[in-house]
Amino acid sequence: VRAHGKQKEGGEQMKQTISKPFLKAQGARILSELNDLKRTVDSCAEELDWDKAEIQRIILGEAPAERTQSFIKRISTFYPIDSAELTLLEGDCMQGVKFMRVAQSRESARVFDRGNKHGEKTPYYEYRDTAMSCLSAFRPEWIKELRIVNDNNPENPDVAYNNGHFMHQVTFFVGPVNFYYEVNGVKHCVEMMTGDSNYITPFWPHSFTSRSAQDEAYIIAVTFGGDVKRALNELYRYGRERSSSFLINGRNPAQGVQDLLDFHLRNELLTRELLQQKLTRQGHAIDVIDRSATWSLEQLEILATALNIEASDLNVSPYRPDEEVVIQKGADEPGYLFPNMSAPHYHIYPGARCRRMPQVKAFNIHVVPSDRPTDPDLSSALHTYIYNYGQVPVQFAWRFENRIYEDTLHPGDSAYVQPFIAYQFRSDAEQACVFTVAIPGALHPGAQKELSAFASFDRVIEESECWFNA
Ligand SMILES: [Fe+2]
């Protein structure tokens, strides 16, 4: 059974059937969990009172999907494991990509009212969904500003700020949109236009209005979760007090380093006094009792060695107040030609960047008109969201398992592309342009380094062996 369907008329994607490679991967994942539990197929069959031959078929991906699901349920009731973590998501993509057409987006439209200066609730935003996949943490919306203002006063009583939200936000602006935000009780307003973008740190209040009753004014608000979203279930489980023990003072880096030292001391079952004695015994003149001390790189290396961690584990990046909310004006960004000046495919303008979120990459991409052949030339380790904000269609090609697929992104169409799926935009028309935002998945740099150090990579994703030689 092939999981690969065709795009139906109107862009709606056909429902996938469970594919053989998927069942094989699910089977291997189950075997890896049994290995972790130090169970063999024999011992597991006996403990769970499950047919041994069927467990073999499940592990090889040769059993029906329903039987595999029942087995996962059985395993997770018998052994202390989370069935959700053991269950692979086949997902909602076709050949690594998911589209949402402008017509589908329009169908999802809903208008939200907010109070105006007279205290009346009147239409403020029209929201429309754009491409979203269960395989990524994007929740991007097309949002039209329905409240018209005639100034850039951040205290304008017609502007309704929200309370901020848990998701990070990268916003791309189209038309005369005012962007409002409040940081530490101070309100700001910035006049934005097509090609501008921003980044908003979770929970800072913000709002958007239009400066024109005639011109179209909308934003693509790309909200997304990061590592914290992935850890959210743990935070809920621990509750407020215990969860807050994870915090360090990132807005005061000297204090943040002290917080990190406490954090690692605690995990190593040491106190500052015990560490001080150890350092003194070793002949190091470093004061770890005084919480106002700052340490040189060399001293941090000694502290890290004493705690069996890396010096970088005690490192806190400089605090950048201008990265609470980042404003990126398109006019300030000359961009560059990709892949080179002599035969460019794209003029790429990087959007708002926040160094705290180093893998979040927004781009405004202008497609250089040409009749060049299909050849997916863009690819990254990140999950990518694409929105065609221009007036002309863009030809979109991508490579999946050594085959090339093609489709058209019409104005207002959006798409989600999985990591390492190479893709390409083409157009013979002038002014073909898309906005993209890329975000990391669970394989952040820490996980990347841990994985790369394993003695085998193949066995990570295709476990087919018992962990011992019988
Ligand atoms: Fe928002």
Side-chain angles (χ1 to χ4, degrees):
V1 187
R2 294 288 288 172
H4 308 153
K6 283 188 182 143
Q7 303 287 314
K8 277 204 304 190
E9 283 293 312
E12 198 187 323
Q13 293 182 347
M14 280 168 64
K15 186 92 186 136
Q16 289 185 4
T17 48
I18 304 286
S19 67
K20 252 202 149 115
F22 176 79
L23 283 173
K24 202 168 168 243
Q26 179 66 80
R29 177 70 185 86
I30 291 169
L31 179 61
S32 90
E33 200 69 28
L34 292 180
N35 273 344
D36 295 348
L37 290 162
K38 316 295 178 300
R39 260 46 178 204
T40 59
V41 169
D42 284 14
S43 64
C44 170
E46 200 180 317
E47 282 177 324
L48 301 184
D49 192 22
W50 200 284
D51 180 52
K52 187 182 144 190
E54 188 179 50
I55 297 179
Q56 289 288 14
R57 285 197 297 278
I58 288 170
I59 282 167
L60 293 171
E62 289 164 1
E66 307 77 56
R67 293 300 297 162
T68 304
Q69 283 310 313
S70 307
F71 186 63
I72 289 173
K73 226 178 219 167
R74 178 81 181 118
I75 297 178
S76 56
T77 41
F78 193 87
Y79 303 115
I81 55 175
D82 179 349
S83 64
E85 271 182 29
L86 187 49
T87 307
L88 299 191
L89 268 185
E90 172 136 55
D92 44 11
C93 293
M94 289 291 182
Q95 296 94 25
V97 174
K98 186 177 175 188
F99 294 98
M100 187 156 184
R101 308 299 172 180
V102 66
Q104 288 173 281
S105 287
R106 275 198 206 105
E107 279 169 29
S108 71
R110 60 269 185 206
V111 170
F112 292 116
D113 293 347
R114 299 269 179 92
N116 65 12
K117 63 184 166 200
H118 305 298
E120 303 150 352
K121 291 216 162 180
T122 61
Y124 200 82
Y125 292 132
E126 179 186 339
Y127 269 71
R128 296 178 188 172
D129 289 342
T130 66
M132 265 182 243
S133 165
C134 64
L135 298 177
S136 82
F138 286 120
R139 299 291 177 266
E141 296 285 338
W142 176 101
I143 305 175
K144 186 179 175 70
E145 282 59 53
L146 303 176
R147 185 69 52 87
I148 315 291
V149 297
N150 46 29
D151 62 26
N152 58 10
N153 173 13
E155 303 282 351
N156 185 330
D158 255 347
V159 178
Y161 287 72
N162 63 13
N163 299 319
H165 45 68
F166 172 74
M167 299 280 243
H168 299 272
Q169 180 168 333
V170 167
T171 317
F172 186 73
F173 294 79
V174 179
V177 177
N178 273 4
F179 168 50
Y180 304 85
Y181 63 98
E182 182 181 335
V183 171
N184 293 323
V186 182
K187 289 176 172 160
H188 308 262
C189 173
V190 189
E191 293 189 3
M192 306 295 259
M193 53 188 280
T194 304
D196 296 348
S197 59
N198 74 13
Y199 163 78
I200 308 170
T201 298
F203 295 120
W204 288 128
H206 51 276
S207 190
F208 304 90
T209 64
S210 167
R211 295 190 299 277
S212 168
Q214 296 84 40
D215 300 339
E216 179 160 63
Y218 69 89
I219 61 171
I220 302 298
V222 183
T223 54
F224 56 92
D227 286 343
V228 175
K229 169 116 189 194
R230 276 184 281 277
L232 195 56
N233 286 2
E234 277 196 49
L235 294 174
Y236 269 78
R237 218 177 295 133
Y238 306 151
R240 185 192 161 82
E241 199 189 315
R242 277 200 283 158
S243 290
S244 67
S245 305
F246 283 99
L247 295 176
I248 61 158
N249 193 342
R251 290 182 172 90
N252 177 344
Q255 187 56 53
V257 173
Q258 294 287 337
D259 294 344
L260 277 177
L261 180 66
D262 285 332
F263 180 83
H264 291 292
L265 278 168
R266 193 172 181 167
N267 295 344
E268 193 61 89
L269 302 187
L270 287 173
T271 64
R272 286 190 177 238
E273 288 72 22
L274 286 167
L275 177 63
Q276 187 67 73
Q277 289 161 19
K278 187 174 178 178
L279 292 168
T280 307
R281 269 200 311 276
Q282 293 171 346
H284 298 301
I286 306 174
D287 183 352
V288 291
I289 304 297
D290 176 9
R291 293 188 59 91
S292 64
T294 53
W295 300 301
S296 67
L297 285 178
E298 203 182 330
Q299 289 175 320
L300 283 172
E301 191 62 53
I302 293 164
L303 292 179
T305 304
L307 289 165
N308 304 303
I309 58 177
E310 299 284 359
S312 57
D313 294 325
L314 291 170
N315 181 52
V316 178
S317 300
Y319 173 55
R320 302 181 177 94
D322 56 342
E323 291 195 353
E324 298 281 5
V325 171
V326 180
I327 309 286
Q328 164 70 46
K329 293 284 201 170
D332 297 336
E333 174 54 69
Y336 57 94
L337 293 169
F338 182 96
N340 53 55
M341 302 258 281
S342 53
H345 300 171
Y346 314 107
H347 194 148
I348 296 179
Y349 303 89
R353 291 286 187 278
C354 173
R355 289 172 67 177
R356 247 184 304 119
M357 303 294 291
Q359 295 206 93
V360 174
K361 309 286 192 190
F363 298 99
N364 176 10
I365 300 179
H366 289 199
V367 183
V368 176
S370 80
D371 55 358
R372 66 174 186 277
T374 306
D375 179 24
D377 51 1
L378 300 171
S379 163
S380 82
L382 307 171
H383 297 257
T384 301
Y385 167 82
I386 300 163
Y387 182 86
N388 180 355
Y389 73 93
Q391 304 296 318
V392 296
V394 173
Q395 297 310 310
F396 180 71
W398 72 101
R399 186 183 296 116
F400 181 80
E401 291 178 354
N402 293 320
R403 280 185 63 185
I404 303 283
Y405 298 84
E406 290 194 76
D407 212 309
T408 304
L409 284 169
H410 290 279
D413 285 355
S414 52
Y416 157 71
V417 184
Q418 289 179 13
F420 294 119
I421 298 285
Y423 56 94
Q424 175 190 33
F425 304 112
R426 278 182 308 154
S427 174
D428 49 19
E430 296 285 339
Q431 294 172 338
C433 46
V434 296
F435 167 62
T436 70
V437 182
I439 60 170
L443 283 158
H444 54 74
Q448 177 183 42
K449 286 168 194 157
E450 182 186 335
L451 173 65
S452 303
F454 288 4
S456 167
F457 169 71
D458 292 340
R459 290 181 54 197
V460 173
I461 52 161
E462 278 173 32
E463 187 58 271
S464 59
E465 297 175 40
C466 183
W467 81 98
F468 68 91
N469 296 317

